[in-house]
Amino acid sequence: MNKKVVVITGSSWWLGRALTEDFLQKWYYVIAGVRDQKGSEREAHENYEVISLDVTSAKDRSKLISRIKEIGRLDVLINNAAISGWWDFWKRDMNIDRNVYEINLFWPLELVRICHDLLESSKWSVVNISSIAGVVPTPFLASYGASKIALESQTVALYLENPHTKIRYLNLKLWPLTEGLCANKMSKWEYRYKEWVRTHMEKIKHLHGYPVEKVAESIFSFLDSEKKFSTKTLGTWAKTIVFLARFLPQPWYQICIGKWYKKISF
């Protein structure tokens, strides 16, 4: 295939769908991994194909790998598929946590490893979608945040282990974006959180939110550069939170975060 190929996991909703459109505009051949076919509905395009991809399914994962092998090239892999939840640690089943780590951490690493073996010495890029919840301890999102910071740490380590490899790595720390929340299989607690976000969306959008379309710009900026590794925190609000976490005395920071979370407690 002469066109550049991008695989985007988690393309059913929200950020994944937006990235699909942006890469099509750049004349990439897009393989969109989706769990929900309804979320992938769009006009037919010669450079676009949908592949059913529930990352917890060994059968679906095998299909994706077979398709990449059949095409014979991969230029960009975007690990966007992830799950989170607004869960009380003391009330939830630990299998929920195991599932979070499986989808957010182990599957993206497995995909990177398999693609590396398939593509051998080819030059390609890995983009991992992370979250400031991985940098800032976040009540009710502990497993999600821990899985994201673990993925980011693993990615840094992969680069440091072999800095002369042709694989390039980009970590993007996000939250919040100005629109969309994953609507797949949400618990009652997640729905209540979603309702709170909708109530405050205009404030987030004008003061703190990061436009979805800007995420693609950050990715293309990295792809067009000569950098082999980069970590970016996107959005004024996200950068502010990360800055405070690093430089405020811990008790002060905990008080600030505690007061904010009391406002959204249920």
Side-chain angles (χ1 to χ4, degrees):
M1 180 174 290
N2 295 326
K3 293 184 175 66
K4 292 183 178 179
V5 178
V6 58
V7 170
I8 306 175
T9 67
S11 295
S12 298
W13 304 94
W14 190 24
L15 179 59
R17 291 193 67 177
L19 290 177
T20 294
E21 298 302 325
D22 290 321
F23 272 88
L24 284 174
Q25 290 179 15
K26 292 286 186 176
W27 294 100
Y28 276 75
Y29 187 84
V30 177
I31 301 176
V34 303
R35 186 173 69 176
D36 187 343
Q37 293 287 345
K38 291 181 180 179
S40 64
E41 294 174 352
R42 68 177 310 282
E43 293 183 4
H45 195 291
E46 62 179 349
N47 295 331
Y48 173 74
E49 73 172 270
V50 175
I51 185 167
S52 179
L53 182 62
D54 179 345
V55 296
T56 62
S57 167
K59 182 178 180 180
D60 285 357
R61 296 198 300 264
S62 179
K63 284 182 180 179
L64 175 61
I65 298 305
S66 296
R67 183 61 181 135
I68 294 173
K69 189 174 183 180
E70 181 182 342
I71 292 174
R73 70 176 293 175
L74 176 64
D75 296 276
V76 185
L77 167 64
I78 301 181
N79 283 315
N80 176 59
I83 60 170
S84 67
W86 203 249
W87 299 306
D88 185 334
F89 176 81
W90 305 108
K91 298 178 181 179
R92 69 175 180 256
D93 187 330
M94 287 302 293
N95 286 324
I96 292 177
D97 298 82
R98 293 185 179 94
N99 199 37
V100 168
Y101 279 96
E102 180 66 31
I103 293 174
N104 295 2
L105 175 62
F106 297 124
W107 158 243
L109 291 176
E110 179 183 345
L111 184 55
V112 169
R113 176 181 291 176
I114 294 173
C115 289
H116 173 267
D117 294 340
L118 285 177
L119 301 167
E120 298 180 343
S121 60
S122 300
K123 182 179 179 180
W124 58 293
S125 301
V126 178
V127 179
N128 288 326
I129 305 298
S130 187
S131 167
I132 64 167
V135 179
V136 180
T138 309
F140 305 108
L141 288 174
S143 293
Y144 172 76
S147 67
K148 286 298 187 179
I149 195 61
L151 178 61
E152 187 171 328
S153 179
Q154 287 268 14
T155 306
V156 175
L158 287 176
Y159 170 70
L160 293 177
E161 286 175 14
N162 189 5
H164 303 297
T165 182
K166 291 187 177 181
I167 306 176
R168 306 167 67 204
Y169 298 95
L170 172 63
N171 281 317
L172 291 180
K173 285 193 280 284
L174 311 175
W175 193 59
L177 297 177
T178 55
E179 58 187 77
L181 278 172
C182 182
N184 291 350
K185 299 183 179 180
M186 301 180 75
S187 69
K188 65 178 182 179
W189 293 102
E190 291 175 278
Y191 274 119
R192 296 180 72 177
Y193 172 57
K194 183 176 180 180
E195 184 63 28
W196 177 86
V197 172
R198 281 178 173 170
T199 302
H200 294 74
M201 187 59 70
E202 289 305 313
K203 182 176 180 181
I204 292 174
K205 190 177 293 186
H206 293 299
L207 296 181
H208 308 302
Y210 195 77
V212 173
E213 59 270 16
K214 292 289 186 180
V215 178
E217 291 183 13
S218 297
I219 294 174
F220 291 129
S221 175
F222 171 78
L223 295 177
D224 292 338
S225 72
E226 296 299 322
K227 295 180 180 178
K228 299 199 68 175
F229 177 84
S230 181
T231 296
K232 296 182 179 181
T233 302
L234 305 182
T236 302
W237 191 70
K239 291 178 180 178
T240 300
I241 292 294
V242 172
F243 176 84
L244 292 176
R246 289 178 177 173
F247 295 104
L248 269 183
Q250 197 62 22
W252 291 8
Y253 172 74
Q254 290 173 350
I255 290 172
C256 291
I257 291 295
K259 286 183 177 180
W260 187 79
Y261 277 101
K262 283 182 179 179
K263 295 180 181 180
I264 62 171
S265 62
F266 307 122

XYZ file of all heavy atoms in Angstrom, residues 79 81 103-109 112 127-130 145-158 171:
217
model
N -3.143 4.209 20.537
C -3.784 3.441 21.600
C -4.757 4.347 22.351
O -4.407 4.970 23.350
C -2.729 2.870 22.551
C -2.032 1.660 21.976
O -2.666 0.775 21.426
N -0.715 1.633 22.093
N -8.209 3.219 22.929
C -9.220 2.437 23.650
C -8.882 2.378 25.136
O -7.749 2.082 25.522
C -9.287 1.021 23.073
N -7.362 -3.584 29.787
C -7.688 -2.778 28.606
C -6.775 -1.560 28.482
O -6.324 -1.218 27.383
C -9.163 -2.331 28.668
C -10.071 -3.558 28.527
C -9.477 -1.304 27.582
C -11.547 -3.255 28.723
N -6.479 -0.902 29.584
C -5.732 0.361 29.544
C -4.222 0.176 29.508
O -3.509 1.077 29.074
C -6.088 1.224 30.751
C -7.527 1.669 30.757
O -8.303 1.302 29.877
N -7.916 2.452 31.741
N -3.730 -0.961 29.972
C -2.282 -1.153 30.079
C -1.772 -2.361 29.282
O -0.948 -2.203 28.377
C -1.888 -1.311 31.553
C -0.416 -1.652 31.828
C 0.506 -0.535 31.332
C -0.207 -1.905 33.324
N -2.249 -3.550 29.607
C -1.647 -4.756 29.035
C -1.912 -4.903 27.545
O -1.020 -5.289 26.779
C -2.139 -5.995 29.795
C -1.731 -6.003 31.237
C -2.675 -6.119 32.247
C -0.403 -5.862 31.593
C -2.297 -6.114 33.577
C -0.007 -5.855 32.930
C -0.966 -5.979 33.922
N -3.147 -4.587 27.107
C -3.443 -4.720 25.674
C -2.639 -3.738 24.833
O -2.044 -4.143 23.824
C -4.933 -4.576 25.419
C -5.250 -4.184 24.016
C -5.859 -3.044 23.600
C -4.968 -4.907 22.817
N -5.968 -3.005 22.231
C -5.421 -4.144 21.724
C -4.356 -6.123 22.554
C -5.300 -4.563 20.411
C -4.229 -6.538 21.231
C -4.700 -5.761 20.172
N -2.541 -2.450 25.173
C -1.715 -1.550 24.354
C -0.259 -2.002 24.275
O 0.363 -1.937 23.199
C -1.835 -0.203 25.084
C -3.141 -0.278 25.789
C -3.265 -1.702 26.216
N 0.292 -2.484 25.396
C 1.674 -2.963 25.377
C 1.815 -4.207 24.508
O 2.793 -4.366 23.767
C 2.138 -3.268 26.806
C 2.326 -2.059 27.718
C 2.681 -2.516 29.131
C 3.395 -1.119 27.191
N 1.795 -3.136 20.852
C 3.081 -2.545 20.453
C 4.113 -3.638 20.213
O 4.853 -3.617 19.222
C 3.581 -1.560 21.535
C 5.030 -1.147 21.254
C 2.695 -0.326 21.583
N 1.307 6.312 19.533
C 0.707 7.426 20.278
C -0.167 6.833 21.377
O -1.125 6.114 21.099
C -0.156 8.332 19.373
C -0.774 9.457 20.189
C 0.683 8.897 18.231
N 0.179 7.107 22.615
C -0.606 6.622 23.749
C -1.405 7.778 24.350
O -0.836 8.822 24.698
C 0.299 6.017 24.819
C 0.873 4.680 24.398
O 0.215 3.915 23.696
N 2.102 4.394 24.805
N -2.708 7.580 24.446
C -3.572 8.597 25.046
C -3.626 8.357 26.546
O -4.183 7.365 27.019
C -4.989 8.557 24.441
C -4.926 8.688 22.913
C -5.854 9.649 25.060
C -4.320 9.986 22.414
N -3.042 9.277 27.286
C -2.985 9.156 28.734
C -3.908 10.189 29.376
O -4.792 10.738 28.718
C -1.536 9.330 29.219
O -1.437 9.061 30.605
N -6.423 5.987 36.754
C -5.227 6.815 36.799
C -3.958 5.979 36.901
O -2.956 6.253 36.232
N -3.995 4.939 37.737
C -2.818 4.088 37.914
C -2.477 3.350 36.620
O -1.299 3.191 36.269
C -3.072 3.086 39.038
N -3.499 2.902 35.893
C -3.248 2.203 34.628
C -2.649 3.141 33.595
O -1.784 2.746 32.794
C -4.540 1.579 34.091
O -5.477 2.567 33.693
N -3.085 4.405 33.611
C -2.573 5.375 32.636
C -1.129 5.768 32.932
O -0.299 5.883 32.016
C -3.471 6.617 32.630
C -4.813 6.411 31.936
C -4.625 6.068 30.466
C -5.930 6.016 29.698
N -5.731 5.718 28.267
N -0.798 5.992 34.201
C 0.580 6.362 34.520
C 1.508 5.164 34.306
O 2.678 5.318 33.944
C 0.708 6.905 35.960
C 2.053 7.629 36.141
C 0.546 5.805 36.985
C 2.253 8.834 35.246
N 0.986 3.951 34.504
C 1.789 2.750 34.245
C 2.109 2.629 32.755
O 3.239 2.292 32.371
C 1.047 1.508 34.729
N 1.118 2.907 31.895
C 1.351 2.865 30.452
C 2.369 3.912 30.036
O 3.270 3.644 29.219
C 0.033 3.080 29.703
C 0.118 3.107 28.175
C 0.636 1.783 27.640
C -1.245 3.431 27.561
N 2.243 5.095 30.605
C 3.190 6.160 30.275
C 4.601 5.793 30.717
O 5.578 5.992 29.976
C 2.748 7.464 30.952
C 3.565 8.667 30.551
C 2.972 9.963 31.064
O 1.730 10.056 31.179
O 3.752 10.893 31.340
N 4.729 5.240 31.920
C 6.038 4.838 32.433
C 6.645 3.725 31.576
O 7.840 3.750 31.263
C 5.891 4.367 33.881
O 7.137 3.943 34.395
N 5.826 2.771 31.189
C 6.299 1.686 30.331
C 6.785 2.213 28.985
O 7.787 1.751 28.437
C 5.162 0.682 30.104
C 4.834 -0.183 31.304
C 5.604 -1.493 31.297
O 6.565 -1.674 30.563
N 5.185 -2.417 32.148
N 6.066 3.199 28.447
C 6.439 3.758 27.152
C 7.791 4.467 27.233
O 8.643 4.316 26.346
C 5.366 4.751 26.662
O 4.094 4.104 26.676
C 5.663 5.229 25.258
N 7.993 5.237 28.303
C 9.287 5.900 28.507
C 10.399 4.853 28.604
O 11.467 4.991 27.995
C 9.263 6.776 29.776
C 10.652 7.354 30.046
C 8.242 7.898 29.635
N 10.127 3.801 29.366
C 11.131 2.750 29.545
C 11.458 2.051 28.230
O 12.617 1.729 27.950
C 10.631 1.739 30.574
N 10.439 1.815 27.391
C 10.671 1.175 26.096
C 11.623 2.000 25.245
O 12.524 1.458 24.583
C 9.346 0.979 25.353
C 8.411 -0.114 25.870
C 7.107 -0.091 25.085
C 9.068 -1.473 25.772
N 3.399 10.410 24.164
C 2.412 10.304 25.236
C 1.632 11.609 25.312
O 2.241 12.688 25.390
C 3.089 10.055 26.590
C 3.492 8.608 26.776
O 2.745 7.700 26.449
N 4.687 8.402 27.299
